Amino acid sequence: MSPQEAVDWPALRAAAREVMTRAYAPYSRFRVGAAGLVDDGRVVVGCNVENASYGLGLCAECGLVGALHAGGGGRLVAVAVVGPDGEPVMPCGRCRQLLWENGGAATLLETPAGVRPMTEVLPDAFGPEELVRAGD
Ligand code: THU
Protein backbone atom coordinates (compact mmCIF):
# COMPACT_ATOMS: atom_id res chain seq x y z
CA MET A 1 0.00 0.00 0.00
CA SER A 2 1.39 3.44 -0.88
CA PRO A 3 1.46 6.14 1.81
CA GLN A 4 -1.34 7.91 -0.04
CA GLU A 5 -3.57 4.84 0.07
CA ALA A 6 -3.18 4.61 3.84
CA VAL A 7 -4.56 8.07 4.58
CA ASP A 8 -7.18 8.26 7.34
CA TRP A 9 -9.08 11.19 5.88
CA PRO A 10 -11.68 11.47 8.67
CA ALA A 11 -8.86 11.70 11.25
CA LEU A 12 -6.98 14.28 9.19
CA ARG A 13 -10.15 16.34 8.73
CA ALA A 14 -10.85 16.12 12.47
CA ALA A 15 -7.35 17.44 13.22
CA ALA A 16 -7.92 20.32 10.79
CA ARG A 17 -11.28 21.12 12.39
CA GLU A 18 -9.80 21.12 15.87
CA VAL A 19 -6.94 23.47 15.04
CA MET A 20 -9.34 25.70 13.08
CA THR A 21 -11.02 26.56 16.40
CA ARG A 22 -7.72 28.05 17.56
CA ALA A 23 -7.31 30.37 14.57
CA TYR A 24 -6.71 34.04 15.25
CA ALA A 25 -8.93 35.65 12.64
CA PRO A 26 -10.52 38.74 14.21
CA TYR A 27 -10.45 40.69 10.94
CA SER A 28 -11.84 38.31 8.34
CA ARG A 29 -13.70 36.12 10.86
CA PHE A 30 -12.76 33.29 8.46
CA ARG A 31 -11.07 30.65 10.60
CA VAL A 32 -9.00 28.06 8.74
CA GLY A 33 -7.37 24.88 9.98
CA ALA A 34 -4.92 22.68 8.10
CA ALA A 35 -3.65 19.21 8.93
CA GLY A 36 -1.01 17.24 7.07
CA LEU A 37 0.06 13.62 7.22
CA VAL A 38 3.85 13.36 7.04
CA ASP A 39 5.65 10.44 5.40
CA ASP A 40 6.87 9.27 8.81
CA GLY A 41 3.32 9.07 10.16
CA ARG A 42 3.26 12.37 12.08
CA VAL A 43 0.32 14.70 11.75
CA VAL A 44 1.20 18.39 11.69
CA VAL A 45 -1.32 21.21 11.95
CA GLY A 46 -1.64 24.95 11.51
CA CYS A 47 -4.27 27.68 11.77
CA ASN A 48 -4.47 31.13 10.25
CA VAL A 49 -3.08 34.01 12.29
CA GLU A 50 -4.12 37.47 11.15
CA ASN A 51 -2.64 40.86 11.94
CA ALA A 52 -3.91 44.44 12.34
CA SER A 53 -1.62 45.14 9.40
CA TYR A 54 -3.91 43.06 7.20
CA GLY A 55 -1.39 42.08 4.54
CA LEU A 56 0.76 40.33 7.14
CA GLY A 57 -1.80 37.63 7.92
CA LEU A 58 -0.50 34.09 7.93
CA CYS A 59 -2.52 31.33 6.29
CA ALA A 60 -3.15 28.06 8.11
CA GLU A 61 -0.87 26.25 5.66
CA CYS A 62 2.02 28.52 6.65
CA GLY A 63 1.66 27.33 10.23
CA LEU A 64 1.42 23.75 9.06
CA VAL A 65 4.63 23.99 7.06
CA GLY A 66 6.39 25.67 9.98
CA ALA A 67 5.28 22.83 12.26
CA LEU A 68 6.48 20.30 9.68
CA HIS A 69 10.02 21.64 9.77
CA ALA A 70 10.06 22.46 13.48
CA GLY A 71 9.02 18.88 14.21
CA GLY A 72 11.80 17.29 12.21
CA GLY A 73 10.92 17.84 8.55
CA GLY A 74 9.70 15.22 6.13
CA ARG A 75 7.34 15.22 3.18
CA LEU A 76 3.61 15.89 3.23
CA VAL A 77 1.66 12.88 1.97
CA ALA A 78 -1.87 14.23 2.42
CA VAL A 79 -3.39 17.54 3.51
CA ALA A 80 -6.85 18.59 4.70
CA VAL A 81 -7.78 22.26 4.97
CA VAL A 82 -11.10 23.38 6.43
CA GLY A 83 -12.88 26.69 6.77
CA PRO A 84 -15.03 28.07 9.61
CA ASP A 85 -17.86 25.63 8.85
CA GLY A 86 -15.47 22.71 9.11
CA GLU A 87 -15.77 21.92 5.42
CA PRO A 88 -12.86 21.73 2.96
CA VAL A 89 -11.58 24.95 1.43
CA MET A 90 -9.17 25.34 -1.44
CA PRO A 91 -5.76 26.61 -0.38
CA CYS A 92 -4.90 29.98 -1.88
CA GLY A 93 -2.36 30.10 -4.70
CA ARG A 94 0.58 30.93 -2.44
CA CYS A 95 -0.26 28.01 -0.16
CA ARG A 96 -0.57 25.57 -3.05
CA GLN A 97 3.03 26.50 -3.85
CA LEU A 98 3.99 25.86 -0.21
CA LEU A 99 2.37 22.43 -0.33
CA TRP A 100 4.11 21.65 -3.61
CA GLU A 101 7.50 22.46 -2.14
CA ASN A 102 6.91 20.34 0.97
CA GLY A 103 5.00 17.46 -0.58
CA GLY A 104 5.14 17.33 -4.33
CA ALA A 105 3.22 16.08 -7.31
CA ALA A 106 1.71 13.03 -5.58
CA THR A 107 0.62 14.80 -2.39
CA LEU A 108 -3.11 14.47 -1.97
CA LEU A 109 -5.32 17.39 -1.03
CA GLU A 110 -8.89 17.15 0.20
CA THR A 111 -10.86 19.77 -1.72
CA PRO A 112 -14.55 20.69 -1.93
CA ALA A 113 -14.56 18.51 -5.07
CA GLY A 114 -12.97 15.51 -3.37
CA VAL A 115 -9.44 14.24 -2.88
CA ARG A 116 -7.12 15.41 -5.66
CA PRO A 117 -3.38 15.25 -6.32
CA MET A 118 -1.31 18.42 -6.32
CA THR A 119 -0.80 18.05 -10.07
CA GLU A 120 -4.49 18.86 -10.50
CA VAL A 121 -4.66 21.82 -8.16
CA LEU A 122 -1.33 23.33 -9.22
CA PRO A 123 -0.80 22.28 -12.83
CA ASP A 124 2.46 23.16 -14.56
CA ALA A 125 3.95 24.01 -11.19
CA PHE A 126 7.20 25.83 -10.72
CA GLY A 127 9.31 23.84 -8.27
CA PRO A 128 12.81 23.40 -6.87
CA GLU A 129 13.95 21.31 -9.83
CA GLU A 130 13.64 24.38 -12.07
CA LEU A 131 16.46 26.00 -10.15
CA VAL A 132 19.09 23.78 -11.77
CA ARG A 133 18.87 26.26 -14.64
CA ALA A 134 20.39 28.98 -12.48
CA GLY A 135 23.63 30.40 -13.76
CA ASP A 136 26.81 30.65 -11.73
N1 THU B 1 -6.68 31.53 4.50
C1 THU B 1 -5.93 30.46 4.89
O1 THU B 1 -5.56 30.33 6.07
N2 THU B 1 -5.60 29.54 3.96
C2 THU B 1 -5.98 29.59 2.65
O2 THU B 1 -5.51 28.80 1.85
C3 THU B 1 -6.98 30.57 2.24
C4 THU B 1 -7.13 31.74 3.14
C5 THU B 1 -7.01 32.55 5.49
C6 THU B 1 -6.27 33.84 5.29
C7 THU B 1 -7.17 34.81 6.01
O3 THU B 1 -6.78 34.83 7.39
C8 THU B 1 -8.56 34.21 5.89
O4 THU B 1 -8.38 32.88 5.46
C9 THU B 1 -9.45 34.93 4.91
O5 THU B 1 -8.83 35.05 3.67
Side-chain angles (χ1 to χ4, degrees), residues 72-86:
R75 306 293 296 169
L76 294 169
V77 169
V79 176
V81 184
V82 301
D85 58 359

Side-chain angles (χ1 to χ4, degrees), residues 6-133:
V7 179
D8 182 347
W9 287 105
L12 209 54
R13 204 177 311 123
R17 285 174 176 163
E18 194 204 346
V19 71
M20 176 271 288
T21 67
R22 297 198 284 276
Y24 176 71
Y27 306 107
S28 74
R29 318 298 301 178
F30 193 84
R31 294 169 180 263
V32 180
L37 174 65
V38 186
D39 58 0
D40 63 3
R42 280 153 49 227
V43 172
V44 291
V45 298
C47 58
N48 56 332
V49 178
E50 297 182 347
N51 194 285
S53 181
Y54 293 172
L56 299 182
L58 304 173
C59 285
E61 297 89 334
C62 299
L64 181 152
V65 167
L68 171 72
H69 287 277
R75 306 293 296 169
L76 294 169
V77 169
V79 176
V81 184
V82 301
D85 58 359
E87 295 304 313
V89 291
M90 285 306 295
C92 73
R94 187 271 298 270
C95 290
R96 294 182 206 191
Q97 188 73 36
L98 282 183
L99 298 178
W100 185 276
E101 177 85 18
N102 291 282
T107 297
L108 296 177
L109 177 70
E110 184 175 56
T111 79
V115 173
R116 296 155 72 191
M118 286 303 299
T119 45
E120 266 187 37
V121 301
L122 192 65
D124 302 321
F126 178 88
E129 66 285 353
E130 302 291 335
L131 300 179
V132 299
R133 292 160 53 183

